């Protein structure tokens, strides 16, 4: 990421209030790219234009030749010598030597500038990491919330809302609030953007800006990001801050470049890895007993992570003709970047990686997500069946069984578009499974993991966990039954909670674990 002099100084002025309100940075070297900050040496052999140099000498006392396009900052206490030509603005001087009037010591000023530089540097690394792991638009905005203080909206070509700045939810802006409420730009807003030519003749090399008028109290920026001549997404920023216009534009361009890189990576990954990865996932569905070690080995050749917070979705519809099905799958892929989508056994399977902030409320999240994506397909008979969230690809086949069991359970018995396994798991448990695969398709993974370990320690853990749950977490009673010290029971319980990510304060988790033990007893696989 390119960090410019203007970005560093604007953030510095915001934090230390050195610059008069509404003042503009007018120096010519504002777009200079900075790769580091150094103290100005007393007797330098050669200065580099890539670095920002800092000193406490006055500009008129500096006799060092500044490199072309280079910059030297002079932190001085007091007004410039020639007060008739220079006022008390925070920055004054030539394009290469800038004077900053401040009471800060040189060391403090240097450290604060370095902190500003590192802030942008860390932000850039976070964006790169998000792109590398193929994060969603919302995660990109959340990562940028501290840097881009302006509200940002991201739309698909149909102007449906894909993500927005949640930290600006209280913004008193008609377009912003309407987009959040409706999930798309309303007609009045589209007419406004058309009137100001925001969406006209935009491509991935330029950006349009709407000026202040009676409808808006601030400027708007918009950019259309294309991938291989396909319009992929609109990014709109509402400029409501007091920062210099060029500074806001630089940040928005950096953010939009990150979005474009993310989309290009997604596009390339699907073209390059779709067939290989989809075949791998289909093979897991065909062979649900595949050992975890083999799955881990094969993941090295696929664009997937073994761990995450996944959900399997199966879509059953009346879209049976191959061209129509391919079009439907492509629509889903264009609007959902955190997933793998492929046809399997006359229906569509989606492996979706949940964003971290949606791990708990995944039902509402999916209802809102698909509500916008499938809006144009409401005249088709579509039903989506969701598994419960799971944490490793090794559970992919189990999750698919869950989603399909809900389909079998509810086939022809409901008009609901979204059917979640979590709402029907008891019915699925007792009506859809045979006794032989109850433990395989339902039991809590932590219990199964301890069972499959077959070590003395894992057997002891199973016994302690069972008695702990069966005794309603009464530690003294558990210790008496097991012939252990109370503190020893506490130690083992905490160790299991950390090792297997168990929340034993959650009543639903405890119920699930107890039922898992009962199922294992029933199938004579344990205890």
């Amino acid at each position: 990421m390119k960090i410019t002099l203007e970005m560093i100084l604007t953030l510095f002025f915001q934090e230390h209030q050195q610059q008069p309100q509404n003042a503009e940075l007018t120096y010519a070297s504002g777009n200079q790219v900075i790769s580091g900050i150094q103290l100005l040496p007393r007797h330098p052999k050669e200065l580099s234009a890539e670095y920002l140099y800092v000193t406490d000498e006055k500009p008129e006392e500096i006799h060092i030749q500044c490199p072309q396009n280079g910059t030297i900052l002079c932190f001085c206490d007091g007004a410039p010598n020639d007060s008739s030509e220079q006022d008390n603005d925070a920055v004054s001087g030539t394009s290469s030597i800038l004077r900053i009037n401040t009471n800060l010591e040189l060391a403090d000023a240097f450290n604060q500038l370095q902190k500003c530089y590192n802030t942008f540097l860390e932000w850039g690394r976070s964006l790169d990491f998000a792109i590398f792991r193929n994060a969603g638009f919302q995660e990109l905005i959340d990562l940028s919330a501290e840097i881009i203080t302006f509200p940002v909206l991201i739309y698909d070509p149909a102007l449906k809302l894909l993500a927005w700045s949640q930290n600006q939810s209280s913004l008193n802006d008609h377009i912003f609030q309407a987009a959040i409420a409706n999930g798309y730009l309303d007609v009045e807003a589209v007419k406004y953007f058309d009137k100001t030519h925001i969406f006209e003749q935009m491509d991935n090399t330029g950006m349009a800006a709407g000026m202040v008028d009676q409808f808006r109290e601030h400027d708007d920026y918009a950019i259309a990001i294309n991938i291989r001549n396909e319009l992929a997404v609109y990014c709109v920023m509402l400029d409501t801050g007091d920062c210099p216009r060029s500074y806001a534009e630089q940040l928005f361009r950096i953010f939009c470049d990150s979005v474009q890189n993310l989309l290009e990576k997604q596009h390339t990954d699907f073209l390059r890895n779709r067939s290989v990865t989809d075949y791998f996932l289909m093979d897991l569905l065909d062979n649900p007993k595949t050992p975890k070690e083999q799955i881990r080995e094969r993941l090295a050749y696929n664009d997937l992570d073994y761990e995450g917070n996944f959900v399997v979705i199966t879509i059953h519809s009346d879209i049976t003709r191959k061209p129509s099905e391919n079009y439907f799958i492509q629509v889903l892929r264009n609007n959902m970047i955190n997933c793998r989508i492929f046809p399997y056994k006359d229906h569509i399977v989606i492996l979706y990686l949940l964003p971290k902030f949606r791990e708990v409320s995944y039902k509402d999240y999916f209802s809102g997500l698909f509500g916008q994506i499938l809006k144009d397909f409401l005249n088709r008979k579509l039903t989506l069946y969701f598994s419960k969230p799971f944490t490793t690809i090794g559970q992919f086949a189990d999750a698919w069984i869950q989603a399909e069991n809900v389909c079998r359970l509810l086939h022809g018995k409901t008009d609901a578009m979204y059917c979640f396994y979590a709402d029907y798991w008891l019915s699925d448990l007792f009506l859809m499974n045979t006794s032989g695969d109850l433990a395989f398709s339902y039991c809590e993974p932590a219990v199964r993991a301890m069972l499959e370990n077959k070590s003395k320690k894992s057997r002891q853990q199973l016994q302690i966990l069972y008695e702990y749950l069966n005794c309603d977490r009464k530690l003294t009673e558990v210790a008496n039954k097991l012939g252990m010290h109370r503190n020893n029971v506490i130690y083992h319980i905490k160790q299991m909670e950390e090792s297997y990510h168990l929340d034993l304060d959650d009543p639903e988790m405890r119920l699930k674990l107890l039922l898992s033990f009962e199922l294992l007893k029933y199938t004579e696989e344990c205890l």
Side-chain angles (χ1 to χ4, degrees), residues 444-447 450 465 493-506 509 513:
E444 178 61 37
V447 175
M450 285 185 272
L465 181 60
I493 292 298
K494 286 186 177 179
Q495 194 175 50
M496 281 185 278
E497 284 183 317
E498 293 176 0
S499 300
Y500 297 102
H501 307 291
L502 298 175
D503 181 9
L504 295 180
D505 290 328
D506 182 3
M509 171 64 74
L513 289 167

mmCIF file with all atom_site columns, all heavy atoms in Angstrom, residues 444-447 450 465 493-506 509 513:
data_model
loop_
_atom_site.group_PDB
_atom_site.id
_atom_site.type_symbol
_atom_site.label_atom_id
_atom_site.label_alt_id
_atom_site.label_comp_id
_atom_site.label_asym_id
_atom_site.label_entity_id
_atom_site.label_seq_id
_atom_site.pdbx_PDB_ins_code
_atom_site.Cartn_x
_atom_site.Cartn_y
_atom_site.Cartn_z
_atom_site.occupancy
_atom_site.B_iso_or_equiv
_atom_site.pdbx_formal_charge
_atom_site.auth_seq_id
_atom_site.auth_comp_id
_atom_site.auth_asym_id
_atom_site.auth_atom_id
_atom_site.pdbx_PDB_model_num
ATOM 1   N N   . GLU A 1 444 ? -22.047 -34.711 19.416 1.00 0.00 ? 444 GLU A N   1
ATOM 2   C CA  . GLU A 1 444 ? -21.150 -33.562 19.542 1.00 0.00 ? 444 GLU A CA  1
ATOM 3   C C   . GLU A 1 444 ? -19.732 -33.977 19.178 1.00 0.00 ? 444 GLU A C   1
ATOM 4   O O   . GLU A 1 444 ? -19.224 -34.993 19.672 1.00 0.00 ? 444 GLU A O   1
ATOM 5   C CB  . GLU A 1 444 ? -21.198 -33.035 20.979 1.00 0.00 ? 444 GLU A CB  1
ATOM 6   C CG  . GLU A 1 444 ? -20.272 -31.877 21.252 1.00 0.00 ? 444 GLU A CG  1
ATOM 7   C CD  . GLU A 1 444 ? -20.586 -30.669 20.394 1.00 0.00 ? 444 GLU A CD  1
ATOM 8   O OE1 . GLU A 1 444 ? -21.772 -30.396 20.141 1.00 0.00 ? 444 GLU A OE1 1
ATOM 9   O OE2 . GLU A 1 444 ? -19.626 -30.004 19.968 1.00 0.00 ? 444 GLU A OE2 1
ATOM 10  N N   . PRO A 1 445 ? -19.058 -33.232 18.281 1.00 0.00 ? 445 PRO A N   1
ATOM 11  C CA  . PRO A 1 445 ? -17.709 -33.611 17.824 1.00 0.00 ? 445 PRO A CA  1
ATOM 12  C C   . PRO A 1 445 ? -16.716 -33.814 18.963 1.00 0.00 ? 445 PRO A C   1
ATOM 13  O O   . PRO A 1 445 ? -15.825 -34.655 18.857 1.00 0.00 ? 445 PRO A O   1
ATOM 14  C CB  . PRO A 1 445 ? -17.301 -32.435 16.936 1.00 0.00 ? 445 PRO A CB  1
ATOM 15  C CG  . PRO A 1 445 ? -18.590 -31.864 16.446 1.00 0.00 ? 445 PRO A CG  1
ATOM 16  C CD  . PRO A 1 445 ? -19.574 -32.061 17.566 1.00 0.00 ? 445 PRO A CD  1
ATOM 17  N N   . ALA A 1 446 ? -16.849 -33.058 20.063 1.00 0.00 ? 446 ALA A N   1
ATOM 18  C CA  . ALA A 1 446 ? -15.907 -33.218 21.174 1.00 0.00 ? 446 ALA A CA  1
ATOM 19  C C   . ALA A 1 446 ? -16.009 -34.614 21.780 1.00 0.00 ? 446 ALA A C   1
ATOM 20  O O   . ALA A 1 446 ? -14.994 -35.248 22.089 1.00 0.00 ? 446 ALA A O   1
ATOM 21  C CB  . ALA A 1 446 ? -16.180 -32.157 22.243 1.00 0.00 ? 446 ALA A CB  1
ATOM 22  N N   . VAL A 1 447 ? -17.236 -35.112 21.934 1.00 0.00 ? 447 VAL A N   1
ATOM 23  C CA  . VAL A 1 447 ? -17.431 -36.452 22.486 1.00 0.00 ? 447 VAL A CA  1
ATOM 24  C C   . VAL A 1 447 ? -16.879 -37.498 21.536 1.00 0.00 ? 447 VAL A C   1
ATOM 25  O O   . VAL A 1 447 ? -16.195 -38.453 21.940 1.00 0.00 ? 447 VAL A O   1
ATOM 26  C CB  . VAL A 1 447 ? -18.923 -36.695 22.780 1.00 0.00 ? 447 VAL A CB  1
ATOM 27  C CG1 . VAL A 1 447 ? -19.166 -38.138 23.239 1.00 0.00 ? 447 VAL A CG1 1
ATOM 28  C CG2 . VAL A 1 447 ? -19.419 -35.723 23.836 1.00 0.00 ? 447 VAL A CG2 1
ATOM 29  N N   . MET A 1 450 ? -13.013 -37.546 21.668 1.00 0.00 ? 450 MET A N   1
ATOM 30  C CA  . MET A 1 450 ? -12.484 -38.257 22.837 1.00 0.00 ? 450 MET A CA  1
ATOM 31  C C   . MET A 1 450 ? -12.685 -39.762 22.694 1.00 0.00 ? 450 MET A C   1
ATOM 32  O O   . MET A 1 450 ? -11.833 -40.559 23.080 1.00 0.00 ? 450 MET A O   1
ATOM 33  C CB  . MET A 1 450 ? -13.163 -37.738 24.108 1.00 0.00 ? 450 MET A CB  1
ATOM 34  C CG  . MET A 1 450 ? -12.683 -36.359 24.561 1.00 0.00 ? 450 MET A CG  1
ATOM 35  S SD  . MET A 1 450 ? -13.393 -35.817 26.132 1.00 0.00 ? 450 MET A SD  1
ATOM 36  C CE  . MET A 1 450 ? -14.890 -35.029 25.547 1.00 0.00 ? 450 MET A CE  1
ATOM 37  N N   . LEU A 1 465 ? -16.560 -35.933 32.220 1.00 0.00 ? 465 LEU A N   1
ATOM 38  C CA  . LEU A 1 465 ? -17.537 -35.053 31.577 1.00 0.00 ? 465 LEU A CA  1
ATOM 39  C C   . LEU A 1 465 ? -18.953 -35.583 31.769 1.00 0.00 ? 465 LEU A C   1
ATOM 40  O O   . LEU A 1 465 ? -19.882 -34.813 32.053 1.00 0.00 ? 465 LEU A O   1
ATOM 41  C CB  . LEU A 1 465 ? -17.209 -34.918 30.085 1.00 0.00 ? 465 LEU A CB  1
ATOM 42  C CG  . LEU A 1 465 ? -18.132 -34.005 29.266 1.00 0.00 ? 465 LEU A CG  1
ATOM 43  C CD1 . LEU A 1 465 ? -18.107 -32.577 29.814 1.00 0.00 ? 465 LEU A CD1 1
ATOM 44  C CD2 . LEU A 1 465 ? -17.729 -34.010 27.793 1.00 0.00 ? 465 LEU A CD2 1
ATOM 45  N N   . ILE A 1 493 ? -12.151 -30.343 33.847 1.00 0.00 ? 493 ILE A N   1
ATOM 46  C CA  . ILE A 1 493 ? -13.249 -29.685 33.139 1.00 0.00 ? 493 ILE A CA  1
ATOM 47  C C   . ILE A 1 493 ? -12.725 -28.472 32.360 1.00 0.00 ? 493 ILE A C   1
ATOM 48  O O   . ILE A 1 493 ? -13.054 -28.268 31.180 1.00 0.00 ? 493 ILE A O   1
ATOM 49  C CB  . ILE A 1 493 ? -14.363 -29.267 34.113 1.00 0.00 ? 493 ILE A CB  1
ATOM 50  C CG1 . ILE A 1 493 ? -15.066 -30.501 34.682 1.00 0.00 ? 493 ILE A CG1 1
ATOM 51  C CG2 . ILE A 1 493 ? -15.369 -28.350 33.426 1.00 0.00 ? 493 ILE A CG2 1
ATOM 52  C CD1 . ILE A 1 493 ? -15.763 -31.353 33.652 1.00 0.00 ? 493 ILE A CD1 1
ATOM 53  N N   . LYS A 1 494 ? -11.890 -27.649 33.002 1.00 0.00 ? 494 LYS A N   1
ATOM 54  C CA  . LYS A 1 494 ? -11.329 -26.481 32.322 1.00 0.00 ? 494 LYS A CA  1
ATOM 55  C C   . LYS A 1 494 ? -10.466 -26.892 31.138 1.00 0.00 ? 494 LYS A C   1
ATOM 56  O O   . LYS A 1 494 ? -10.473 -26.244 30.083 1.00 0.00 ? 494 LYS A O   1
ATOM 57  C CB  . LYS A 1 494 ? -10.510 -25.647 33.309 1.00 0.00 ? 494 LYS A CB  1
ATOM 58  C CG  . LYS A 1 494 ? -11.358 -24.854 34.297 1.00 0.00 ? 494 LYS A CG  1
ATOM 59  C CD  . LYS A 1 494 ? -10.502 -23.939 35.160 1.00 0.00 ? 494 LYS A CD  1
ATOM 60  C CE  . LYS A 1 494 ? -11.372 -23.092 36.083 1.00 0.00 ? 494 LYS A CE  1
ATOM 61  N NZ  . LYS A 1 494 ? -10.555 -22.202 36.947 1.00 0.00 ? 494 LYS A NZ  1
ATOM 62  N N   . GLN A 1 495 ? -9.716  -27.974 31.310 1.00 0.00 ? 495 GLN A N   1
ATOM 63  C CA  . GLN A 1 495 ? -8.859  -28.452 30.222 1.00 0.00 ? 495 GLN A CA  1
ATOM 64  C C   . GLN A 1 495 ? -9.703  -28.902 29.029 1.00 0.00 ? 495 GLN A C   1
ATOM 65  O O   . GLN A 1 495 ? -9.370  -28.615 27.870 1.00 0.00 ? 495 GLN A O   1
ATOM 66  C CB  . GLN A 1 495 ? -7.995  -29.615 30.722 1.00 0.00 ? 495 GLN A CB  1
ATOM 67  C CG  . GLN A 1 495 ? -6.843  -29.972 29.802 1.00 0.00 ? 495 GLN A CG  1
ATOM 68  C CD  . GLN A 1 495 ? -5.962  -31.044 30.395 1.00 0.00 ? 495 GLN A CD  1
ATOM 69  O OE1 . GLN A 1 495 ? -6.448  -32.081 30.841 1.00 0.00 ? 495 GLN A OE1 1
ATOM 70  N NE2 . GLN A 1 495 ? -4.659  -30.796 30.421 1.00 0.00 ? 495 GLN A NE2 1
ATOM 71  N N   . MET A 1 496 ? -10.804 -29.582 29.288 1.00 0.00 ? 496 MET A N   1
ATOM 72  C CA  . MET A 1 496 ? -11.682 -30.018 28.194 1.00 0.00 ? 496 MET A CA  1
ATOM 73  C C   . MET A 1 496 ? -12.359 -28.825 27.518 1.00 0.00 ? 496 MET A C   1
ATOM 74  O O   . MET A 1 496 ? -12.519 -28.806 26.288 1.00 0.00 ? 496 MET A O   1
ATOM 75  C CB  . MET A 1 496 ? -12.729 -31.002 28.725 1.00 0.00 ? 496 MET A CB  1
ATOM 76  C CG  . MET A 1 496 ? -12.195 -32.420 28.918 1.00 0.00 ? 496 MET A CG  1
ATOM 77  S SD  . MET A 1 496 ? -13.479 -33.602 29.399 1.00 0.00 ? 496 MET A SD  1
ATOM 78  C CE  . MET A 1 496 ? -13.561 -33.296 31.164 1.00 0.00 ? 496 MET A CE  1
ATOM 79  N N   . GLU A 1 497 ? -12.768 -27.833 28.317 1.00 0.00 ? 497 GLU A N   1
ATOM 80  C CA  . GLU A 1 497 ? -13.393 -26.646 27.730 1.00 0.00 ? 497 GLU A CA  1
ATOM 81  C C   . GLU A 1 497 ? -12.444 -25.942 26.777 1.00 0.00 ? 497 GLU A C   1
ATOM 82  O O   . GLU A 1 497 ? -12.848 -25.491 25.695 1.00 0.00 ? 497 GLU A O   1
ATOM 83  C CB  . GLU A 1 497 ? -13.825 -25.685 28.840 1.00 0.00 ? 497 GLU A CB  1
ATOM 84  C CG  . GLU A 1 497 ? -15.078 -26.115 29.581 1.00 0.00 ? 497 GLU A CG  1
ATOM 85  C CD  . GLU A 1 497 ? -15.513 -25.110 30.624 1.00 0.00 ? 497 GLU A CD  1
ATOM 86  O OE1 . GLU A 1 497 ? -14.625 -24.599 31.352 1.00 0.00 ? 497 GLU A OE1 1
ATOM 87  O OE2 . GLU A 1 497 ? -16.722 -24.814 30.709 1.00 0.00 ? 497 GLU A OE2 1
ATOM 88  N N   . GLU A 1 498 ? -11.169 -25.831 27.146 1.00 0.00 ? 498 GLU A N   1
ATOM 89  C CA  . GLU A 1 498 ? -10.183 -25.158 26.298 1.00 0.00 ? 498 GLU A CA  1
ATOM 90  C C   . GLU A 1 498 ? -9.810  -26.011 25.094 1.00 0.00 ? 498 GLU A C   1
ATOM 91  O O   . GLU A 1 498 ? -9.703  -25.511 23.971 1.00 0.00 ? 498 GLU A O   1
ATOM 92  C CB  . GLU A 1 498 ? -8.935  -24.828 27.121 1.00 0.00 ? 498 GLU A CB  1
ATOM 93  C CG  . GLU A 1 498 ? -9.172  -23.782 28.207 1.00 0.00 ? 498 GLU A CG  1
ATOM 94  C CD  . GLU A 1 498 ? -7.938  -23.539 29.060 1.00 0.00 ? 498 GLU A CD  1
ATOM 95  O OE1 . GLU A 1 498 ? -6.909  -24.192 28.787 1.00 0.00 ? 498 GLU A OE1 1
ATOM 96  O OE2 . GLU A 1 498 ? -8.008  -22.725 30.004 1.00 0.00 ? 498 GLU A OE2 1
ATOM 97  N N   . SER A 1 499 ? -9.607  -27.308 25.314 1.00 0.00 ? 499 SER A N   1
ATOM 98  C CA  . SER A 1 499 ? -9.140  -28.180 24.230 1.00 0.00 ? 499 SER A CA  1
ATOM 99  C C   . SER A 1 499 ? -10.204 -28.393 23.160 1.00 0.00 ? 499 SER A C   1
ATOM 100 O O   . SER A 1 499 ? -9.886  -28.469 21.967 1.00 0.00 ? 499 SER A O   1
ATOM 101 C CB  . SER A 1 499 ? -8.707  -29.539 24.802 1.00 0.00 ? 499 SER A CB  1
ATOM 102 O OG  . SER A 1 499 ? -7.654  -29.388 25.730 1.00 0.00 ? 499 SER A OG  1
ATOM 103 N N   . TYR A 1 500 ? -11.468 -28.489 23.564 1.00 0.00 ? 500 TYR A N   1
ATOM 104 C CA  . TYR A 1 500 ? -12.543 -28.812 22.623 1.00 0.00 ? 500 TYR A CA  1
ATOM 105 C C   . TYR A 1 500 ? -13.514 -27.650 22.416 1.00 0.00 ? 500 TYR A C   1
ATOM 106 O O   . TYR A 1 500 ? -14.565 -27.833 21.805 1.00 0.00 ? 500 TYR A O   1
ATOM 107 C CB  . TYR A 1 500 ? -13.313 -30.043 23.124 1.00 0.00 ? 500 TYR A CB  1
ATOM 108 C CG  . TYR A 1 500 ? -12.460 -31.288 23.199 1.00 0.00 ? 500 TYR A CG  1
ATOM 109 C CD1 . TYR A 1 500 ? -11.957 -31.737 24.418 1.00 0.00 ? 500 TYR A CD1 1
ATOM 110 C CD2 . TYR A 1 500 ? -12.135 -32.008 22.056 1.00 0.00 ? 500 TYR A CD2 1
ATOM 111 C CE1 . TYR A 1 500 ? -11.164 -32.878 24.504 1.00 0.00 ? 500 TYR A CE1 1
ATOM 112 C CE2 . TYR A 1 500 ? -11.345 -33.146 22.118 1.00 0.00 ? 500 TYR A CE2 1
ATOM 113 C CZ  . TYR A 1 500 ? -10.856 -33.579 23.336 1.00 0.00 ? 500 TYR A CZ  1
ATOM 114 O OH  . TYR A 1 500 ? -10.068 -34.696 23.400 1.00 0.00 ? 500 TYR A OH  1
ATOM 115 N N   . HIS A 1 501 ? -13.146 -26.457 22.901 1.00 0.00 ? 501 HIS A N   1
ATOM 116 C CA  . HIS A 1 501 ? -13.957 -25.245 22.693 1.00 0.00 ? 501 HIS A CA  1
ATOM 117 C C   . HIS A 1 501 ? -15.404 -25.459 23.165 1.00 0.00 ? 501 HIS A C   1
ATOM 118 O O   . HIS A 1 501 ? -16.363 -25.177 22.444 1.00 0.00 ? 501 HIS A O   1
ATOM 119 C CB  . HIS A 1 501 ? -13.932 -24.825 21.227 1.00 0.00 ? 501 HIS A CB  1
ATOM 120 C CG  . HIS A 1 501 ? -12.558 -24.681 20.665 1.00 0.00 ? 501 HIS A CG  1
ATOM 121 N ND1 . HIS A 1 501 ? -11.691 -23.668 21.043 1.00 0.00 ? 501 HIS A ND1 1
ATOM 122 C CD2 . HIS A 1 501 ? -11.861 -25.435 19.772 1.00 0.00 ? 501 HIS A CD2 1
ATOM 123 C CE1 . HIS A 1 501 ? -10.550 -23.806 20.405 1.00 0.00 ? 501 HIS A CE1 1
ATOM 124 N NE2 . HIS A 1 501 ? -10.625 -24.876 19.634 1.00 0.00 ? 501 HIS A NE2 1
ATOM 125 N N   . LEU A 1 502 ? -15.554 -25.982 24.364 1.00 0.00 ? 502 LEU A N   1
ATOM 126 C CA  . LEU A 1 502 ? -16.870 -26.237 24.935 1.00 0.00 ? 502 LEU A CA  1
ATOM 127 C C   . LEU A 1 502 ? -17.266 -25.093 25.872 1.00 0.00 ? 502 LEU A C   1
ATOM 128 O O   . LEU A 1 502 ? -16.461 -24.653 26.686 1.00 0.00 ? 502 LEU A O   1
ATOM 129 C CB  . LEU A 1 502 ? -16.859 -27.553 25.726 1.00 0.00 ? 502 LEU A CB  1
ATOM 130 C CG  . LEU A 1 502 ? -16.551 -28.829 24.938 1.00 0.00 ? 502 LEU A CG  1
ATOM 131 C CD1 . LEU A 1 502 ? -16.455 -30.012 25.880 1.00 0.00 ? 502 LEU A CD1 1
ATOM 132 C CD2 . LEU A 1 502 ? -17.608 -29.073 23.869 1.00 0.00 ? 502 LEU A CD2 1
ATOM 133 N N   . ASP A 1 503 ? -18.500 -24.649 25.740 1.00 0.00 ? 503 ASP A N   1
ATOM 134 C CA  . ASP A 1 503 ? -19.048 -23.650 26.657 1.00 0.00 ? 503 ASP A CA  1
ATOM 135 C C   . ASP A 1 503 ? -20.055 -24.361 27.554 1.00 0.00 ? 503 ASP A C   1
ATOM 136 O O   . ASP A 1 503 ? -21.248 -24.445 27.239 1.00 0.00 ? 503 ASP A O   1
ATOM 137 C CB  . ASP A 1 503 ? -19.719 -22.516 25.882 1.00 0.00 ? 503 ASP A CB  1
ATOM 138 C CG  . ASP A 1 503 ? -20.279 -21.440 26.801 1.00 0.00 ? 503 ASP A CG  1
ATOM 139 O OD1 . ASP A 1 503 ? -19.988 -21.503 28.020 1.00 0.00 ? 503 ASP A OD1 1
ATOM 140 O OD2 . ASP A 1 503 ? -21.007 -20.561 26.313 1.00 0.00 ? 503 ASP A OD2 1
ATOM 141 N N   . LEU A 1 504 ? -19.580 -24.873 28.668 1.00 0.00 ? 504 LEU A N   1
ATOM 142 C CA  . LEU A 1 504 ? -20.438 -25.666 29.541 1.00 0.00 ? 504 LEU A CA  1
ATOM 143 C C   . LEU A 1 504 ? -21.374 -24.807 30.381 1.00 0.00 ? 504 LEU A C   1
ATOM 144 O O   . LEU A 1 504 ? -22.185 -25.338 31.154 1.00 0.00 ? 504 LEU A O   1
ATOM 145 C CB  . LEU A 1 504 ? -19.570 -26.548 30.455 1.00 0.00 ? 504 LEU A CB  1
ATOM 146 C CG  . LEU A 1 504 ? -18.751 -27.608 29.710 1.00 0.00 ? 504 LEU A CG  1
ATOM 147 C CD1 . LEU A 1 504 ? -17.914 -28.430 30.674 1.00 0.00 ? 504 LEU A CD1 1
ATOM 148 C CD2 . LEU A 1 504 ? -19.645 -28.513 28.877 1.00 0.00 ? 504 LEU A CD2 1
ATOM 149 N N   . ASP A 1 505 ? -21.286 -23.489 30.242 1.00 0.00 ? 505 ASP A N   1
ATOM 150 C CA  . ASP A 1 505 ? -22.269 -22.595 30.864 1.00 0.00 ? 505 ASP A CA  1
ATOM 151 C C   . ASP A 1 505 ? -23.524 -22.466 30.004 1.00 0.00 ? 505 ASP A C   1
ATOM 152 O O   . ASP A 1 505 ? -24.531 -21.914 30.447 1.00 0.00 ? 505 ASP A O   1
ATOM 153 C CB  . ASP A 1 505 ? -21.671 -21.206 31.094 1.00 0.00 ? 505 ASP A CB  1
ATOM 154 C CG  . ASP A 1 505 ? -20.603 -21.218 32.187 1.00 0.00 ? 505 ASP A CG  1
ATOM 155 O OD1 . ASP A 1 505 ? -20.737 -22.037 33.124 1.00 0.00 ? 505 ASP A OD1 1
ATOM 156 O OD2 . ASP A 1 505 ? -19.655 -20.431 32.089 1.00 0.00 ? 505 ASP A OD2 1
ATOM 157 N N   . ASP A 1 506 ? -23.435 -22.975 28.779 1.00 0.00 ? 506 ASP A N   1
ATOM 158 C CA  . ASP A 1 506 ? -24.558 -22.894 27.842 1.00 0.00 ? 506 ASP A CA  1
ATOM 159 C C   . ASP A 1 506 ? -25.465 -24.111 28.040 1.00 0.00 ? 506 ASP A C   1
ATOM 160 O O   . ASP A 1 506 ? -25.039 -25.247 27.812 1.00 0.00 ? 506 ASP A O   1
ATOM 161 C CB  . ASP A 1 506 ? -24.027 -22.854 26.406 1.00 0.00 ? 506 ASP A CB  1
ATOM 162 C CG  . ASP A 1 506 ? -25.141 -22.727 25.386 1.00 0.00 ? 506 ASP A CG  1
ATOM 163 O OD1 . ASP A 1 506 ? -26.311 -22.614 25.792 1.00 0.00 ? 506 ASP A OD1 1
ATOM 164 O OD2 . ASP A 1 506 ? -24.844 -22.762 24.177 1.00 0.00 ? 506 ASP A OD2 1
ATOM 165 N N   . MET A 1 509 ? -25.673 -26.441 25.053 1.00 0.00 ? 509 MET A N   1
ATOM 166 C CA  . MET A 1 509 ? -24.470 -27.263 24.877 1.00 0.00 ? 509 MET A CA  1
ATOM 167 C C   . MET A 1 509 ? -24.497 -28.464 25.830 1.00 0.00 ? 509 MET A C   1
ATOM 168 O O   . MET A 1 509 ? -24.168 -29.593 25.445 1.00 0.00 ? 509 MET A O   1
ATOM 169 C CB  . MET A 1 509 ? -23.227 -26.409 25.109 1.00 0.00 ? 509 MET A CB  1
ATOM 170 C CG  . MET A 1 509 ? -21.914 -27.191 25.171 1.00 0.00 ? 509 MET A CG  1
ATOM 171 S SD  . MET A 1 509 ? -21.499 -28.008 23.615 1.00 0.00 ? 509 MET A SD  1
ATOM 172 C CE  . MET A 1 509 ? -20.985 -26.597 22.639 1.00 0.00 ? 509 MET A CE  1
ATOM 173 N N   . LEU A 1 513 ? -24.546 -32.451 24.779 1.00 0.00 ? 513 LEU A N   1
ATOM 174 C CA  . LEU A 1 513 ? -23.546 -33.407 25.247 1.00 0.00 ? 513 LEU A CA  1
ATOM 175 C C   . LEU A 1 513 ? -24.199 -34.600 25.942 1.00 0.00 ? 513 LEU A C   1
ATOM 176 O O   . LEU A 1 513 ? -23.812 -35.758 25.714 1.00 0.00 ? 513 LEU A O   1
ATOM 177 C CB  . LEU A 1 513 ? -22.566 -32.713 26.197 1.00 0.00 ? 513 LEU A CB  1
ATOM 178 C CG  . LEU A 1 513 ? -21.587 -31.721 25.554 1.00 0.00 ? 513 LEU A CG  1
ATOM 179 C CD1 . LEU A 1 513 ? -20.909 -30.880 26.619 1.00 0.00 ? 513 LEU A CD1 1
ATOM 180 C CD2 . LEU A 1 513 ? -20.551 -32.460 24.714 1.00 0.00 ? 513 LEU A CD2 1
#
